[in-house]
Protein backbone atom coordinates (compact mmCIF):
# COMPACT_ATOMS: atom_id res chain seq x y z
CA UNK A 1 0.00 0.00 0.00
CA UNK A 2 1.30 3.48 -0.81
CA UNK A 3 1.17 5.82 2.12
CA UNK A 4 2.65 8.78 0.26
CA UNK A 5 5.35 11.14 1.44
CA UNK A 6 6.41 11.06 5.07
CA UNK A 7 8.50 12.98 7.62
CA UNK A 8 11.69 11.28 8.87
CA UNK A 9 11.26 13.08 12.24
CA UNK A 10 8.27 13.40 14.53
CA UNK A 11 9.38 16.81 15.79
CA UNK A 12 11.82 19.68 15.28
CA UNK A 13 12.91 22.40 17.69
CA UNK A 14 14.55 25.81 17.44
CA UNK A 15 15.12 28.99 19.48
CA UNK A 16 13.65 32.34 18.48
CA UNK A 17 14.93 35.60 19.98
CA UNK A 18 13.31 39.00 20.28
CA UNK A 19 13.92 41.37 17.34
CA UNK A 20 15.47 38.78 15.01
CA UNK A 21 14.88 40.30 11.57
CA UNK A 22 12.05 39.12 9.33
CA UNK A 23 13.41 36.68 6.75
CA UNK A 24 15.73 34.93 9.24
CA UNK A 25 15.79 31.22 8.29
CA UNK A 26 15.12 29.08 11.38
CA UNK A 27 15.21 25.44 10.29
CA UNK A 28 14.94 23.12 7.34
CA UNK A 29 12.33 20.36 7.26
CA UNK A 30 12.69 17.37 4.96
CA UNK A 31 10.34 14.74 3.56
CA UNK A 32 11.04 11.31 2.13
CA UNK A 33 9.17 9.70 -0.76
CA UNK A 34 7.03 6.61 -0.71
CA UNK A 35 7.41 6.11 -4.45
CA UNK A 36 9.43 7.65 -7.29
CA UNK A 37 8.18 10.84 -8.89
CA UNK A 38 6.50 12.26 -5.78
CA UNK A 39 7.15 15.95 -5.11
CA UNK A 40 6.88 17.30 -1.57
CA UNK A 41 4.77 20.35 -0.68
CA UNK A 42 4.96 21.76 2.85
CA UNK A 43 2.23 23.73 4.56
CA UNK A 44 2.17 25.46 7.93
CA UNK A 45 -1.01 25.42 9.96
CA UNK A 46 -1.77 29.03 10.94
CA UNK A 47 -2.62 28.12 14.54
CA UNK A 48 0.17 28.76 17.01
CA UNK A 49 -0.41 26.61 20.07
CA UNK A 50 0.76 28.39 23.22
CA UNK A 51 -0.42 25.99 25.86
CA UNK A 52 -2.95 23.18 25.89
CA UNK A 53 -5.77 25.59 26.43
CA UNK A 54 -4.74 28.46 24.19
CA UNK A 55 -3.86 29.06 20.61
CA UNK A 56 -3.17 32.23 18.65
CA UNK A 57 -3.10 33.13 14.98
CA UNK A 58 0.42 32.75 13.63
CA UNK A 59 1.70 36.08 12.28
CA UNK A 60 5.43 35.40 12.60
CA UNK A 61 6.40 32.11 10.98
CA UNK A 62 6.18 30.77 7.45
CA UNK A 63 7.46 27.80 5.44
CA UNK A 64 8.54 27.65 1.81
CA UNK A 65 6.15 25.23 0.19
CA UNK A 66 8.71 23.56 -2.06
CA UNK A 67 11.93 23.60 0.00
CA UNK A 68 10.67 23.13 3.57
CA UNK A 69 12.65 26.17 4.78
CA UNK A 70 10.95 27.48 7.94
CA UNK A 71 11.60 31.19 8.53
CA UNK A 72 10.54 34.32 10.40
CA UNK A 73 8.09 36.29 8.27
CA UNK A 74 7.76 39.09 10.86
CA UNK A 75 10.13 40.16 13.61
CA UNK A 76 8.97 39.14 17.10
CA UNK A 77 9.07 42.22 19.35
CA UNK A 78 8.73 42.49 23.12
CA UNK A 79 5.00 43.15 22.87
CA UNK A 80 4.53 39.99 20.77
CA UNK A 81 6.59 38.05 23.28
CA UNK A 82 4.45 39.25 26.20
CA UNK A 83 1.31 38.26 24.36
CA UNK A 84 2.63 34.82 23.46
CA UNK A 85 4.20 34.02 26.79
CA UNK A 86 1.74 33.00 29.47
CA UNK A 87 2.65 36.08 31.54
CA UNK A 88 5.69 38.22 30.71
CA UNK A 89 7.71 37.26 33.79
CA UNK A 90 8.91 34.08 32.10
CA UNK A 91 12.34 34.16 30.42
CA UNK A 92 11.18 31.58 27.89
CA UNK A 93 7.90 30.59 26.29
CA UNK A 94 7.32 27.38 24.32
CA UNK A 95 4.99 27.46 21.35
CA UNK A 96 4.08 24.76 18.87
CA UNK A 97 3.15 24.68 15.19
CA UNK A 98 2.17 21.84 12.85
CA UNK A 99 3.73 21.36 9.42
CA UNK A 100 1.78 19.26 6.92
CA UNK A 101 2.96 17.37 3.88
CA UNK A 102 1.31 16.59 0.59
CA UNK A 103 2.30 15.45 -2.90
CA UNK A 104 0.15 18.20 -4.44
CA UNK A 105 -0.02 21.96 -3.76
CA UNK A 106 -2.07 22.79 -0.66
CA UNK A 107 -5.47 24.41 -0.85
CA UNK A 108 -6.14 27.32 1.54
CA UNK A 109 -6.35 26.60 5.30
CA UNK A 110 -5.80 22.88 5.06
CA UNK A 111 -4.98 21.88 8.63
CA UNK A 112 -6.11 18.31 8.82
CA UNK A 113 -3.75 16.30 6.62
CA UNK A 114 -2.78 13.04 8.31
CA UNK A 115 0.92 13.51 7.59
CA UNK A 116 2.30 16.10 9.95
CA UNK A 117 5.29 16.93 12.11
CA UNK A 118 5.51 19.28 15.09
CA UNK A 119 7.80 22.31 15.38
CA UNK A 120 8.55 23.38 18.96
CA UNK A 121 9.83 26.94 19.23
CA UNK A 122 11.43 28.32 22.40
CA UNK A 123 10.73 32.07 22.40
CA UNK A 124 13.53 33.66 24.41
CA UNK A 125 13.00 36.99 26.18
CA UNK A 126 16.33 38.45 24.99
CA UNK A 127 17.99 39.49 21.77
CA UNK A 128 20.10 36.90 19.94
CA UNK A 129 23.43 36.31 21.70
CA UNK A 130 26.76 37.25 20.13
CA UNK A 131 28.19 34.35 18.17
CA UNK A 132 31.42 34.44 20.19
CA UNK A 133 29.46 33.73 23.37
CA UNK A 134 27.93 30.48 22.05
CA UNK A 135 29.47 27.07 22.75
CA UNK A 136 30.44 24.74 19.91
CA UNK A 137 27.44 22.61 20.85
CA UNK A 138 25.01 25.57 20.42
CA UNK A 139 26.62 26.61 17.14
CA UNK A 140 26.49 23.09 15.68
CA UNK A 141 23.27 21.47 16.93
CA UNK A 142 19.92 22.72 18.26
CA UNK A 143 18.54 19.28 18.78
CA UNK A 144 19.56 17.24 21.77
CA UNK A 145 18.53 14.12 19.95
CA UNK A 146 19.35 13.50 16.29
CA UNK A 147 17.26 10.44 15.52
CA UNK A 148 15.33 9.61 12.38
CA UNK A 149 12.83 7.05 11.11
CA UNK A 150 13.21 5.78 7.56
CA UNK A 151 10.77 3.28 6.05
CA UNK A 152 12.17 0.13 4.49
CA UNK A 153 11.90 -0.47 0.72
CA UNK A 154 11.44 3.23 -0.11
CA UNK A 155 13.38 5.40 -2.61
CA UNK A 156 16.58 7.07 -1.37
CA UNK A 157 16.63 10.80 -0.58
CA UNK A 158 17.91 13.60 1.66
CA UNK A 159 16.40 13.53 5.14
CA UNK A 160 18.35 16.04 7.22
CA UNK A 161 20.45 19.18 6.93
CA UNK A 162 23.25 19.47 9.48
CA UNK A 163 23.97 23.19 9.16
CA UNK A 164 21.62 25.28 11.32
CA UNK A 165 20.07 27.94 9.04
CA UNK A 166 19.67 30.45 11.89
CA UNK A 167 23.30 30.15 13.08
CA UNK A 168 24.63 30.21 9.52
CA UNK A 169 22.61 33.39 8.89
CA UNK A 170 23.77 35.02 12.12
CA UNK A 171 27.43 33.96 12.47
CA UNK A 172 28.98 34.53 9.08
CA UNK A 173 32.48 35.19 10.52
CA UNK A 174 32.68 31.63 11.81
CA UNK A 175 33.55 28.59 9.78
CA UNK A 176 31.44 25.58 10.78
CA UNK A 177 32.03 22.22 9.10
CA UNK A 178 30.63 18.73 9.66
CA UNK A 179 31.73 15.14 9.10
CA UNK A 180 29.55 12.05 9.23
CA UNK A 181 31.50 9.25 10.93
CA UNK A 182 30.22 5.80 10.07
CA UNK A 183 31.42 2.24 10.05
CA UNK A 184 32.31 0.90 6.60
CA UNK A 185 29.73 0.79 3.83
CA UNK A 186 26.82 2.45 5.56
CA UNK A 187 23.98 3.43 3.20
CA UNK A 188 24.24 7.16 4.04
CA UNK A 189 26.04 10.05 2.40
CA UNK A 190 26.97 13.53 3.58
CA UNK A 191 27.11 16.33 1.00
CA UNK A 192 29.58 19.04 2.07
CA UNK A 193 28.10 21.69 -0.23
CA UNK A 194 24.53 21.45 1.04
CA UNK A 195 25.33 19.87 4.48
CA UNK A 196 22.52 17.41 3.63
CA UNK A 197 22.53 13.81 4.81
CA UNK A 198 20.87 11.33 2.47
CA UNK A 199 20.04 7.66 2.46
CA UNK A 200 21.62 6.21 -0.68
CA UNK A 201 19.65 3.00 -1.19
CA UNK A 202 16.46 1.24 -0.16
CA UNK A 203 16.77 -0.16 3.37
CA UNK A 204 15.66 -3.60 4.53
CA UNK A 205 14.59 -3.86 8.16
CA UNK A 206 15.00 -7.64 8.15
CA UNK A 207 18.71 -7.06 7.37
CA UNK A 208 19.26 -4.21 9.84
CA UNK A 209 16.90 -2.32 12.13
CA UNK A 210 19.10 0.48 13.48
CA UNK A 211 22.13 2.43 12.30
CA UNK A 212 24.32 4.32 14.76
CA UNK A 213 26.54 7.03 13.30
CA UNK A 214 28.34 10.03 14.79
CA UNK A 215 28.38 13.62 13.53
CA UNK A 216 31.55 15.57 14.22
CA UNK A 217 31.33 19.34 13.99
CA UNK A 218 34.34 21.69 13.86
CA UNK A 219 34.00 25.42 14.56
CA UNK A 220 36.89 27.70 13.51
CA UNK A 221 37.20 31.35 14.49
CA UNK A 222 40.55 32.82 13.51
CA UNK A 223 43.09 30.45 15.07
CA UNK A 224 40.64 29.06 17.61
CA UNK A 225 39.15 25.64 16.88
CA UNK A 226 36.42 23.78 18.79
CA UNK A 227 34.99 20.34 18.12
CA UNK A 228 31.89 18.52 19.28
CA UNK A 229 30.52 15.07 18.45
CA UNK A 230 26.92 13.81 18.78
CA UNK A 231 25.22 10.48 18.02
CA UNK A 232 23.16 10.30 14.82
CA UNK A 233 20.66 7.43 14.86
CA UNK A 234 18.53 5.98 12.08
CA UNK A 235 15.73 3.52 12.87
CA UNK A 236 14.29 1.49 10.00
CA UNK A 237 10.48 1.24 10.05
CA UNK A 238 8.92 -2.07 9.15
CA UNK A 239 6.71 -2.89 6.20
CA UNK A 240 5.00 -6.28 6.25
CA UNK A 241 7.00 -7.72 3.36
CA UNK A 242 8.42 -11.06 4.55
CA UNK A 243 6.27 -14.18 4.87
CA UNK A 244 6.44 -16.19 8.11
CA UNK A 245 8.76 -19.20 7.90
CA UNK A 246 9.24 -22.57 9.57
CA UNK A 247 12.62 -22.91 11.28
CA UNK A 248 13.31 -26.42 9.97
CA UNK A 249 10.95 -26.45 7.00
CA UNK A 250 8.37 -28.72 8.57
CA UNK A 251 4.77 -27.49 8.60
CA UNK A 252 3.04 -30.47 10.22
CA UNK A 253 3.37 -32.14 13.60
CA UNK A 254 2.20 -35.68 14.40
CA UNK A 255 0.31 -36.18 17.65
CA UNK A 256 0.07 -39.57 19.30
CA UNK A 257 -2.71 -39.69 21.87
CA UNK A 258 -2.59 -42.33 24.62
CA UNK A 259 -5.37 -43.24 27.04
CA UNK A 260 -5.84 -41.43 30.35
CA UNK A 261 -4.04 -38.27 29.30
CA UNK A 262 -4.79 -35.42 31.73
CA UNK A 263 -6.50 -32.29 30.48
CA UNK A 264 -3.87 -29.75 29.42
CA UNK A 265 -1.32 -32.35 28.23
CA UNK A 266 0.68 -31.04 25.26
CA UNK A 267 0.55 -33.61 22.45
CA UNK A 268 2.44 -31.84 19.66
CA UNK A 269 4.08 -28.48 18.99
CA UNK A 270 4.74 -26.48 15.86
CA UNK A 271 7.00 -23.39 15.73
CA UNK A 272 6.62 -20.53 13.23
CA UNK A 273 9.01 -17.57 12.96
CA UNK A 274 8.14 -14.13 11.65
CA UNK A 275 11.11 -11.83 11.05
CA UNK A 276 8.82 -9.01 10.04
CA UNK A 277 6.72 -8.13 13.00
CA UNK A 278 7.30 -7.96 16.70
CA UNK A 279 4.51 -8.76 19.16
CA UNK A 280 1.92 -5.98 18.97
CA UNK A 281 0.18 -4.74 22.08
CA UNK A 282 -2.63 -5.30 22.91
CA UNK A 283 -1.64 -8.96 22.51
CA UNK A 284 -5.06 -9.91 21.10
CA UNK A 285 -4.22 -8.10 17.87
CA UNK A 286 -1.10 -10.29 17.45
CA UNK A 287 -3.19 -13.35 18.20
CA UNK A 288 -5.74 -12.46 15.52
CA UNK A 289 -3.02 -12.13 12.90
CA UNK A 290 -2.19 -15.84 13.11
CA UNK A 291 -4.73 -18.47 14.03
CA UNK A 292 -4.23 -22.17 14.64
CA UNK A 293 -7.07 -24.45 13.58
CA UNK A 294 -7.66 -28.19 13.82
CA UNK A 295 -9.17 -29.26 10.50
CA UNK A 296 -11.58 -32.09 11.17
CA UNK A 297 -15.17 -33.22 10.49
CA UNK A 298 -15.17 -35.21 13.72
CA UNK A 299 -17.14 -33.40 16.42
CA UNK A 300 -15.49 -35.43 19.19
CA UNK A 301 -12.03 -34.30 18.04
CA UNK A 302 -13.01 -30.63 17.89
CA UNK A 303 -14.58 -30.85 21.37
CA UNK A 304 -11.68 -32.79 22.95
CA UNK A 305 -8.60 -31.05 21.56
CA UNK A 306 -7.59 -27.43 21.16
CA UNK A 307 -4.70 -25.45 19.71
CA UNK A 308 -2.97 -23.02 22.07
CA UNK A 309 -0.98 -20.14 20.66
CA UNK A 310 1.83 -18.42 22.57
CA UNK A 311 4.34 -16.00 21.11
CA UNK A 312 7.46 -14.10 22.15
CA UNK A 313 9.81 -11.54 20.75
CA UNK A 314 13.06 -13.07 19.53
CA UNK A 315 16.19 -11.67 17.90
CA UNK A 316 17.60 -12.73 14.56
CA UNK A 317 21.19 -11.80 13.71
CA UNK A 318 21.62 -11.39 9.96
CA UNK A 319 25.05 -9.84 9.13
CA UNK A 320 25.84 -9.65 12.83
CA UNK A 321 23.24 -6.98 13.69
CA UNK A 322 20.24 -7.71 15.88
CA UNK A 323 16.79 -7.61 14.30
CA UNK A 324 13.61 -8.20 16.27
CA UNK A 325 11.01 -10.73 15.21
CA UNK A 326 8.40 -13.08 16.72
CA UNK A 327 8.41 -16.75 17.55
CA UNK A 328 4.96 -18.36 17.50
CA UNK A 329 4.45 -21.67 19.30
CA UNK A 330 1.33 -23.72 18.54
Amino acid sequence: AAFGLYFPRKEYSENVYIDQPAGTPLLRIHALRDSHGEVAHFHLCQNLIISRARSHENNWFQIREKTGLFYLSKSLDREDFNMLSVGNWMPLSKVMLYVFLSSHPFQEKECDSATRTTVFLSLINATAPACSSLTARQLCFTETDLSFHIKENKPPGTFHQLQLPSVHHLCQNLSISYKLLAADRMPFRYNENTTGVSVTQRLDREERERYELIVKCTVREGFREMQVEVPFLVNVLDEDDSPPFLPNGTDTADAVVEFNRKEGTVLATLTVYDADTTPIYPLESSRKKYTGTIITDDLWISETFRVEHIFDEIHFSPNGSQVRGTQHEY
Side-chain angles (χ1 to χ4, degrees):
F3 293 106
L5 297 153
Y6 68 98
F7 289 109
R9 303 197 63 162
K10 292 188 173 69
E11 56 188 55
Y12 292 79
S13 60
E14 188 47 271
N15 298 328
V16 180
Y17 296 92
I18 286 178
D19 295 335
Q20 271 182 295
T24 301
L26 294 173
L27 52 92
R28 178 79 195 272
I29 292 176
H30 287 84
L32 284 170
R33 292 174 303 169
D34 192 79
S35 55
H36 280 292
E38 283 180 314
V39 178
H41 296 267
F42 299 93
H43 171 72
L44 191 60
C45 188
Q46 289 306 313
N47 279 351
L48 191 68
I49 298 149
I50 302 168
S51 63
R52 286 203 177 126
R54 294 175 55 207
S55 71
H56 192 284
E57 191 175 347
N58 165 32
N59 302 315
W60 302 272
F61 306 101
Q62 212 31 272
I63 196 164
R64 296 234 153 84
E65 185 178 339
K66 291 190 174 159
T67 63
L69 185 73
F70 185 93
Y71 63 96
L72 262 176
S73 54
K74 174 181 181 290
S75 184
L76 187 80
D77 60 27
R78 219 160 273 281
E79 208 176 303
D80 297 333
F81 178 87
N82 292 347
M83 180 173 59
L84 292 174
S85 61
V86 193
N88 55 10
W89 50 272
M90 292 173 77
L92 176 131
S93 176
K94 273 234 164 156
V95 299
M96 196 168 100
L97 285 151
Y98 293 123
V99 174
F100 295 104
L101 186 55
S102 172
S103 53
H104 57 83
F106 276 89
Q107 304 309 309
E108 273 305 288
K109 299 223 183 270
E110 245 183 280
C111 265
D112 54 356
S113 147
T115 315
R116 73 175 190 192
T117 189
T118 309
V119 176
F120 289 98
L121 299 171
S122 298
L123 309 183
I124 296 167
N125 192 2
T127 52
C131 294
S132 54
S133 72
L134 295 171
T135 64
R137 177 79 211 223
Q138 290 168 311
L139 290 164
C140 295
F141 307 103
T142 321
E143 312 284 353
T144 46
D145 166 38
L146 284 179
S147 66
F148 306 87
H149 301 277
I150 296 180
K151 293 181 182 179
E152 66 170 341
N153 308 321
K154 301 300 178 202
T158 301
F159 61 94
H160 185 62
Q161 184 183 341
L162 285 168
Q163 176 185 290
L164 303 177
S166 54
V167 169
H168 184 66
H169 185 74
L170 202 66
C171 309
Q172 287 168 354
N173 304 347
L174 297 180
S175 143
I176 301 174
S177 60
Y178 296 90
K179 254 201 172 94
L180 192 62
L181 310 178
D184 298 342
R185 298 190 49 199
M186 286 246 187
F188 303 101
R189 189 168 54 227
Y190 171 63
N191 178 332
E192 274 181 37
N193 300 326
T194 62
T195 77
V197 182
S198 50
V199 55
T200 56
Q201 63 188 60
R202 291 171 183 261
L203 303 181
D204 181 356
R205 193 202 70 96
E206 287 72 60
E207 288 292 319
R208 185 152 182 178
E209 194 169 9
R210 185 179 166 88
Y211 294 88
E212 300 184 20
L213 301 95
I214 286 172
V215 177
K216 178 178 176 180
C217 176
T218 306
V219 180
R220 290 186 190 84
E221 187 184 11
F223 296 110
R224 213 160 66 100
E225 185 176 293
M226 300 182 284
Q227 287 188 334
V228 61
E229 291 184 1
V230 299
F232 187 95
L233 306 174
V234 177
N235 295 292
V236 185
L237 294 180
D238 193 53
E239 193 175 53
D240 210 345
D241 64 335
S242 308
F245 63 96
L246 300 147
N248 51 10
T250 160
D251 63 355
T252 51
D254 292 330
V256 178
V257 187
E258 295 171 357
F259 282 111
N260 296 334
R261 295 287 90 178
K262 285 195 170 66
E263 189 179 333
T265 302
V266 176
L267 302 168
T269 58
L270 194 61
T271 303
V272 181
Y273 285 155
D274 189 342
D276 232 339
T277 54
T278 54
I280 313 160
Y281 296 92
L283 289 177
E284 276 319 301
S285 51
S286 271
R287 231 183 270 288
K288 281 184 194 128
K289 200 170 170 187
Y290 296 100
T291 54
T293 317
I294 298 173
I295 300 170
T296 177
D297 298 334
D298 189 323
L299 193 62
W300 178 78
I301 289 179
S302 43
E303 283 174 353
T304 314
F305 302 97
R306 72 166 182 269
V307 179
E308 288 225 339
H309 177 196
I310 51 173
F311 49 90
D312 286 301
E313 183 170 294
I314 52 165
H315 289 98
F316 300 99
S317 295
N319 312 331
S321 74
Q322 281 209 332
V323 172
R324 293 170 307 146
T326 312
Q327 171 178 305
H328 297 268
E329 290 269 17
Y330 293 96

